Structure formats: C-alpha cells, structure tokens
Amino acid sequence: MSQPHHDDHLDRIRLPALRERITTAAAAAEWIKDGMTVGMSGFTKSGDAKMVPLAMAERARHTPFQITLITGASLGNDVDKLLTEAGVLARRMPFQADPVLRAAINRGEVMYVDQHLSETVEMLRTRQLAPIDIAIIEAIAITETGAIIPSTSVGNSASFAILADKVIVEINLSQSLALEGLHDIFIPKHRPQREPMPLMTPSDRVGTTTINIAPEKIVAIVITEKQDSSSTILPPDAETDAIAAHLVEFFEEEVRCGRLTNSLLPLQAGIGTIANAVMTGFINSPFAHLSMYSEVLQDSTFDLFDAGKLDFASGSSITLSSQKGAQVFRELTRYKERLVLRPQEVSNHPEIIRRLGIIAINTALEADIYGNVNSTHVLGTHIMNGIGGSGDFARNAYLAVFATKSLAKDGKISSIVPMVSHVDHNEHDVDILVTEVGLADLRGLAPRERAQAIIRNCVAQPYRGLLQEYVTEAGERGGHTPHVLEKAFSWHTRYRETGSMLPIRSVNIHPTDDLDDVSQQAA
C-alpha cells in the first residue's frame, strides 16, 4: 500500500518511475522471507536502515521468521537489539556492538561470524558465502538514472546493492543533501583480472559518487526522517591524555630520527573513547598538515580540522556525538572538500594500507608480555564487539599501535597479562603498545626483550612485580618465548573465581603502590 508524501519529499527520487514504489516500512518488510540472506547498510551506527528492520521485528512477533543479516559494521537505533528480541537473527556478520545481541551470541542463540571488515564482500563476490537475496540501503536520494546516493556511510552498501536480487531503499529526509558528491564508490574487478586500485593519496577519487544499479532492482522505497544514533564517546580523562602524550612524544622522536616528517603519515584510528582521545591529543602537538585514511571519522577528526591540524580525511562512515554531529552537519559544506567516504573494502584494503604507509592506532582489550593482542573476547570466551578493521590495518600498517588503559575494574584487572586468553593480533603485527603508564616500542625486539619492554613501560603496580616474577620463572624453563604453561591463564582463572586478578597476598594493595611497598607487604 502506497504512502503519500509531500512533493518536496518526492524531489529526492529523481527518476519519476520509481516514485510509484514508495510504500510503508511494513509493506517493504514483506519482501523479506524466512531463510533469506539480507545485506543492510550501516557502519558504526551511521547510514543504517532504520524503518524496515523495525517493521521486520514487529512482523516476526506474530509471524516468526529468521534471516542471515550482513552489514558493514554495527547498527544504530537499537536495530540489532530489536531484531534479536524478535528472534529474527539466525546468523550475523561481520561486526556488532549491541549488548542484547552480544548476550544472545554468547548464549549460542545467534551464530556470529566475526570477520575482518575488508573481507565480507570479497567472499560474497566469489560466492564463498550464500548470496544476498535482498539489500536494504539508506540513501539521501535516487538519481535520474536510478543510482543510489548513500548517506553518512558507505560500508558494504554498494556491493550489497550490486549483488542482491532485489533492493529496498530508505530515503532519509533528515540526512543532508550536502552529502551528495562526498562518496567515492570504487568496485574492484573479479580476480584474476583485477587491477591495482589507483589510489595514491588519501584525497584521490577513483570511483563514482553514486551506487549504480539497474533501477528495476529497486522493489520498494520507504521515506523516513529518523536520525543516525549518536556515538557514546566519553571525553578524554587523565589516563587517555597520558596515552596520547606518550604517543606524541614517540612521534616527535621518530621525526627527530628522520623516520617521519612533521606531517607524519596518514592516520587511522579505531572507534571508541580511547582512540578518539588519542587523536584529539594531536591538537596540541607540533605536527601539522596531517591526513587520515581510516574507517570511521569521529569527533576528533573534525576537532583536528577546526584546529588547523588536519588537511584531509578519508573514511567509510561519519559517526559523531550528538553535539558534534549537530555542528558538523549544519556546517557540512565547510568540510566537504576535505572529506571522502568509500566502501569499506577500499578503506580497509591491505594494498592501499601498505602503499600509503598508514599509522594505525587501535584499542586492545588485553595484551600479553610478548605483544599478542586480544581485541574481542572477555576471558577468552565471551565476545564483546568484534575485530572490526583493526586486523586489516595492523597487519599492513607502517606502524601498528595498540592502546589500552593498564587497569580495569578499579585495579582488579590488568590489561597486560602473561598470555592473552584470545589472540586477534599476534606479536608479529604489533609494533607499539601504549598505556597511561608508558609506551613500549617493540620493533626489532626478540620475545624476551619484548617482555621486558612491556613490563617496564606499560604495566601498573602491583601487576608489574607479578609479571616480572612470571617472566623470571618462565625464563628458567627456557625457550625462545618462555612460558609457565600451568600458570599462563592463572590470572584469568583467579579473576573468574575471586573477582580480581590479584593473588590473595596482594588484594589489599593499591594499584599505584611502589614495587618496594608491594614486596614488603607481601612478605
């Protein structure tokens, strides 16, 4: 059943024949059948489909059905939550960040495939995954030829729309038409005829500004004014300020040694409070004419623009806090010439990352004494969000930096442990580890040297002393990468059993106590 709209709304559907396909979200959702694979726009809460997924959840409450849902990354507007609660999700990939969905995954109720973000559409394109039956894509408009103009993210939307049998488009009137022209949609050729991506700088444009598909594939158009969800990034604190300061000092030394110039190399930063705070730290640094080649453009991106530090930023989405989002999208034309949004298989492409020499700054959940990093699993078993694009960047970066606060849960957890309980980034891919305590430069170090650098520079007391005891005992047993296997996960086991990684002899010790005090009290 068609839904009437004011003519102003129809101006965004520039191919008149497609205006007949305007319908309600409920009617559009009827195209989704049990067992289908659905590709949905959205990358870190931005540019996601907002109305049809809610109609799907409502329908499933009285007519149960399940789908495989593939997105770019996480969704906003509680879409994953509502679909989970309605029992719609049988399988989900490649990234999520919703607590309700996370709990269902960890209960084994939803099969979650955690993937490197550059790989999903590659696997779809070569039919290593089940084909997309239908794509649901948010757009600001449809052109005279039926091409789709994305909104605040590209993610996997372009390939979803190209590969799907049918496409549903959500035209979002709350998204600014100033976004038109911001996107650069490049679709690589099939292997083995693929040519190198002709991207030589972050500001290069190598594709089209629209997602070009046959207009007859568009089976339904839904009009919405629902806004993107805001990010929940916390402001910098003393610890994140310290992490940023350590990194700035490190980069200053790299410039003094002639390994970098004052404009560094293109920067990538993962999503979240710590990565955003680290990027904000560049505002008061001596560096200038910076560039970004990243996935998500956060508040710090625009803070750096406004501070005159950043010349250009390439990403796959724009995800902002409510206050920053209101300012940026009100003044989007002021930033537009210095921005581009790309498909995530381009923003995260190993060839481009290696070619441009990206400095990648991502967040660790925990790291161990040899530099292995766990980004995804609590106590080795329970997924948090997913690996996202950190693996794409870390493996191929000029410098792979991982940042974390040294302590969690009021000192009951050390983020640096004898052995990580799950490995997302092995020691071969981690160059720099930094906490508020300090920075460990792991380049060119053997495992035993890495352990000493990490313990000395990154670990808070009393865990520093405890890790040194572990390394000493492990070293006596020998090996290139010494471990005490029966104790390697003892900290995780102790936390699970007692609520603290600290042994009984240390439970009354404040995390900032000196090693001498620790030894005296332990005795």
Side-chain angles (χ1 to χ4, degrees):
M1 184 172 103
S2 293
Q3 180 176 328
H5 290 275
H6 192 275
D7 287 347
D8 288 347
H9 302 167
L10 301 182
D11 290 344
R12 295 202 183 206
I13 306 170
R14 300 168 192 165
L15 181 60
L18 288 179
R19 295 171 185 168
E20 299 174 0
R21 296 175 200 175
I22 297 176
T23 188
T24 63
E30 291 294 331
W31 287 94
I32 313 297
K33 308 300 182 185
D34 185 54
M36 278 188 168
T37 296
V38 177
M40 194 177 293
S41 68
F43 193 104
T44 56
K45 295 186 176 182
S46 67
D48 51 335
K50 300 174 175 66
M51 299 299 292
V52 177
L54 304 189
M56 290 163 57
E58 183 60 31
R59 178 179 132 217
R61 298 184 200 283
H62 56 80
T63 308
F65 69 98
Q66 288 196 311
I67 64 168
T68 292
L69 177 60
I70 309 180
T71 61
S74 56
L75 302 175
N77 289 283
D78 289 335
V79 166
D80 272 326
K81 171 181 182 289
L82 295 170
L83 291 176
T84 301
E85 291 174 340
V88 173
L89 299 182
R91 185 174 294 270
R92 180 76 169 84
M93 64 178 73
F95 188 85
Q96 57 77 42
D98 181 82
V100 173
L101 174 56
R102 179 188 307 144
I105 292 166
N106 286 324
R107 290 193 301 268
E109 296 169 3
V110 177
M111 295 296 103
Y112 175 52
V113 182
D114 183 23
Q115 285 186 314
H116 296 299
L117 295 187
S118 66
E119 292 184 347
T120 306
V121 295
E122 290 278 30
M123 296 182 74
L124 286 167
R125 187 178 290 119
T126 52
R127 298 189 297 280
Q128 297 177 74
L129 296 174
I132 298 285
D133 295 297
I134 195 159
I136 309 172
I137 308 297
E138 181 178 89
I140 60 168
I142 299 174
T143 72
E144 293 82 357
T145 63
I148 298 169
I149 305 173
S151 58
T152 45
S153 71
V154 179
N156 285 326
S157 297
S159 288
F160 287 162
I162 291 167
L163 296 171
D165 294 331
K166 298 177 178 64
V167 178
I168 297 170
V169 178
E170 290 194 6
I171 300 290
N172 193 329
L173 305 179
S174 75
Q175 298 278 24
S176 171
L177 282 172
L179 289 164
E180 186 169 358
L182 192 66
H183 312 92
D184 186 48
I185 311 299
F186 179 88
I187 305 297
K189 294 180 180 179
H190 285 264
R191 302 181 181 106
Q193 287 79 32
R194 180 172 298 178
E195 299 166 348
M197 290 189 185
L199 244 171
M200 304 303 293
T201 71
S203 59
D204 284 347
R205 287 182 168 273
V206 297
T208 64
T209 58
T210 59
I211 300 171
N212 298 321
I213 60 171
E216 55 268 22
K217 289 178 65 170
I218 300 175
V219 296
I221 298 172
V222 176
I223 308 298
T224 179
E225 297 186 59
K226 199 174 181 73
Q227 296 184 350
D228 283 342
S229 293
S230 301
S231 69
T232 53
I233 291 173
L234 299 174
D237 57 24
E239 292 165 316
T240 57
D241 283 344
I243 291 171
H246 294 317
L247 274 172
V248 168
E249 182 180 2
F250 166 78
F251 289 126
E252 288 177 328
E253 179 62 21
E254 291 295 288
V255 172
R256 281 193 292 271
C257 292
R259 289 188 285 266
L260 290 171
T261 69
N262 208 46
S263 57
L264 305 181
L265 283 165
L267 301 168
Q268 177 263 338
I271 190 73
T273 297
I274 292 179
N276 189 71
V278 167
M279 295 303 294
T280 302
F282 283 104
I283 292 174
N284 295 317
S285 75
F287 311 116
H289 299 295
L290 300 172
S291 64
M292 290 188 70
Y293 190 84
S294 194
E295 306 161 290
V296 186
L297 307 183
Q298 304 176 80
D299 287 22
S300 56
T301 303
F302 297 90
D303 292 338
L304 286 166
F305 276 139
D306 293 342
K309 291 288 186 176
L310 185 64
D311 287 352
F312 196 90
S314 168
S316 193
S317 75
I318 300 173
T319 302
L320 304 172
S321 65
S322 56
Q323 182 176 0
K324 179 59 71 173
Q327 178 256 314
V328 166
F329 291 114
R330 185 174 61 247
E331 305 172 11
L332 188 59
T333 53
R334 183 163 68 86
Y335 300 104
K336 187 173 178 178
E337 294 303 313
R338 294 180 287 170
L339 294 171
V340 65
L341 294 181
R342 312 182 190 276
Q344 67 196 64
E345 65 175 316
V346 178
S347 68
N348 291 40
H349 198 282
E351 177 192 351
I352 306 301
I353 295 167
R354 183 67 63 92
R355 178 187 301 157
L356 298 183
I358 303 299
I359 296 173
I361 303 172
N362 289 285
T363 303
L365 189 64
E366 65 176 2
D368 67 26
I369 55 175
Y370 296 116
N372 299 290
V373 168
N374 171 15
S375 298
T376 58
H377 283 71
V378 176
L379 297 180
T381 58
H382 283 56
I383 192 77
M384 281 293 288
N385 299 331
I387 193 170
S390 57
D392 296 322
F393 283 91
R395 188 67 183 272
N396 300 286
Y398 169 78
L399 277 174
V401 178
F402 282 90
T404 180
K405 294 184 178 183
S406 67
L407 300 170
K409 300 291 185 183
D410 297 321
K412 295 176 182 176
I413 292 177
S414 172
S415 298
I416 313 298
V417 295
M419 182 183 287
V420 287
S421 55
H422 176 91
V423 180
D424 291 296
H425 315 281
N426 65 48
E427 74 274 20
H428 305 295
D429 297 338
V430 179
D431 298 314
I432 307 294
L433 188 63
V434 58
T435 72
E436 80 284 358
V437 176
L439 181 147
D441 183 352
L442 306 177
R443 295 173 296 176
L445 299 186
R448 290 174 185 248
E449 295 170 317
R450 292 166 75 93
Q452 293 300 331
I454 290 170
I455 293 170
R456 180 174 63 251
N457 293 297
C458 299
V459 183
Q461 297 291 14
Y463 294 102
R464 186 185 302 171
L466 297 173
L467 278 175
Q468 191 61 60
E469 289 176 10
Y470 177 88
V471 166
T472 299
E473 183 178 354
E476 291 171 353
R477 296 193 180 190
H480 176 61
T481 308
H483 268 297
V484 184
L485 291 181
E486 67 272 22
K487 295 182 180 180
F489 297 120
S490 61
W491 292 23
H492 300 88
T493 302
R494 189 157 53 235
Y495 177 76
R496 186 183 61 197
E497 293 174 350
T498 71
S500 175
M501 286 185 172
L502 290 169
I504 294 174
R505 65 189 175 103
S506 302
V507 293
N508 294 321
I509 300 172
H510 192 275
T512 58
D513 284 345
D514 290 334
L515 184 57
D516 290 343
D517 293 333
V518 173
S519 301
Q520 185 175 355
Q521 292 184 40

